[in-house]
Amino acid sequence: MRLIRRFEERCIDLVRSGDIGSGIHPCIGQEGVAAGLCAALRPDDALLSNHRGHGHFLARGSDPGRFLAELTGRVGGIDSGRAGSFHPSDLSAGIWGASGTVGHGAAIATGLGWALARDGDRVAVSVFGDGAVTQGALLESFNLASLWQVPVVFVCENNGYATTLPAPAGIAGSVVGRAEAFGIPASTVDGQDPEVVFDAMAAAVDRARGGGGPSLLEFTTYRFEGHHTFERRMRLAYRDDDEVARWRERDPLAIQAARVPADVRDAIDAEVEEVLDAAVRFALESPRPDPADAFDHLYATPVRLRGSLFGGLGAAAALDGAGRIFR
Ligand SMILES: Cc1ncc(C[n+]2csc(CCOP(=O)(O)OP(=O)(O)O)c2C)c(N)n1
């Protein structure tokens, strides 16, 4: 959790310096969910993350240097600098993708879980926010996952807001009620305590692994920062300071730190700083991609560039193997 917190604080510095051009959606305040849920998974389990996913990647073991290189758009990144903060994947850490398309991961995780069940006892996990539970794809996923008893755990990180929309203003009924309507066991759990998260997640994963089918966990949590780093400049007024202060009193790092001896805490903090100093160095020293490679990895049949990619609107053109022109 300390690594996730400090990683994102360093990311915010890199947004300010212009090195992370896209900005980020910080998960600061929500680290307890990422840490607890990932600790309950086996390395060969599969996780689909979302736009607020840095914590999931780090908790699953993504290399901080290569991840930071991804966010800064460098060739040393986990996806060669092509995915950025929104759409990374890291199969070596069991993360089959993340996306800014809200709710996308539930359908992929359901299909993946269905496929994994034919080949051993691996489990698929889909992590999404409260904003995703109004997406139709989620309900279609619940339907098939329940009918086919797919080993998938649906994880809702309910941080109270979809951008600026309070969850009760956007969600008719409840999050758990949606899953229960499809015969999927569901519960609401404190997401600020990583050990409580771990226990709930371990039970859901065991159930899926043992052939018991899908389940849904709604973790109540809070983001201490804005929806996106742009909010620091916009000063959007959709939640009051008292609310933020109340949640800060339940900081997951403080909750866990109280269980760890001071010397161990100090050693962890020092190690995290060392790892992140090296990670920032690695990222910023990694070269930027060559614009001429922009279309690489987009299609099974490679496309080649014709004209100048950055020559203005309409100037970019590419041919695929069959000679079709993309503009
Ligand atoms: C399919 C789709 N619809 C709408 C959006 C616009 N959008 C971006 S973030 C967001 C809110 C997401 O809220 P939530 O799922 O609760 O996640 P959080 O940002 O709170 O972690 C929305 C609606 C989108 N990215 N994708």
Side-chain angles (χ1 to χ4, degrees), residues 50-52 100-102 129-132 135 159 161-163 223 227:
N50 69 350
H51 57 280
R52 206 175 296 288
T101 306
V102 168
D130 43 283
Q135 294 286 342
N159 61 15
Y161 293 90
T163 315
R223 55 172 162 73
H227 169 73

Side-chain angles (χ1 to χ4, degrees), residues 85-281:
S85 172
F86 273 74
H87 300 115
S89 57
D90 189 351
L91 290 181
S92 72
I95 303 218
W96 289 60
S99 173
T101 306
V102 168
H104 91 293
I108 299 173
T110 301
L112 191 52
W114 180 75
L116 294 177
R118 296 163 169 260
D119 182 27
D121 63 352
R122 295 158 73 192
V123 170
V125 178
S126 166
V127 190
F128 46 85
D130 43 283
V133 305
T134 53
Q135 294 286 342
L138 204 80
L139 305 182
E140 295 172 35
S141 305
F142 289 172
N143 192 52
L144 282 185
S146 181
L147 277 175
W148 296 347
Q149 290 294 282
V150 174
V152 55
V153 183
F154 299 106
V155 172
C156 177
E157 294 183 314
N158 188 344
N159 61 15
Y161 293 90
T163 315
T164 56
L165 184 71
I171 300 172
S174 69
V175 176
V176 292
R178 280 167 167 68
E180 285 164 351
F182 291 90
I184 295 176
S187 46
T188 303
V189 178
D190 176 14
Q192 296 310 90
D193 186 331
E195 298 201 0
V196 171
V197 173
F198 173 83
D199 288 344
M201 190 65 191
V205 169
D206 280 356
R207 178 191 157 78
R209 221 184 282 296
S215 45
L216 177 138
L217 294 169
E218 176 194 22
F219 292 111
T220 50
T221 184
Y222 201 76
R223 55 172 162 73
F224 296 166
E225 290 284 325
H227 169 73
H228 183 270
T229 39
F230 64 57
E231 221 181 285
R232 288 187 157 219
R233 271 176 290 145
M234 291 171 77
R235 298 189 193 287
L236 299 176
Y238 60 93
R239 54 186 198 177
D240 60 45
D241 294 346
D242 287 351
E243 180 182 292
V244 181
R246 268 199 313 280
W247 276 95
R248 277 188 182 277
E249 281 168 23
R250 300 215 62 240
D251 186 330
L253 270 70
I255 290 173
Q256 193 61 12
R259 299 174 177 138
V260 178
D263 57 329
V264 177
R265 265 189 339 244
D266 292 345
I268 291 171
D269 293 355
E271 189 186 338
V272 163
E273 294 311 311
E274 244 176 65
V275 166
L276 290 180
D277 285 346
V280 173
R281 260 198 318 276

Side-chain angles (χ1 to χ4, degrees), residues 6 10 15 36 41 116 167 170 202 213 221 231 260 308 317:
R6 290 291 298 133
R10 301 291 277 262
V15 171
L41 297 176
L116 294 177
T221 184
E231 221 181 285
V260 178
S308 157

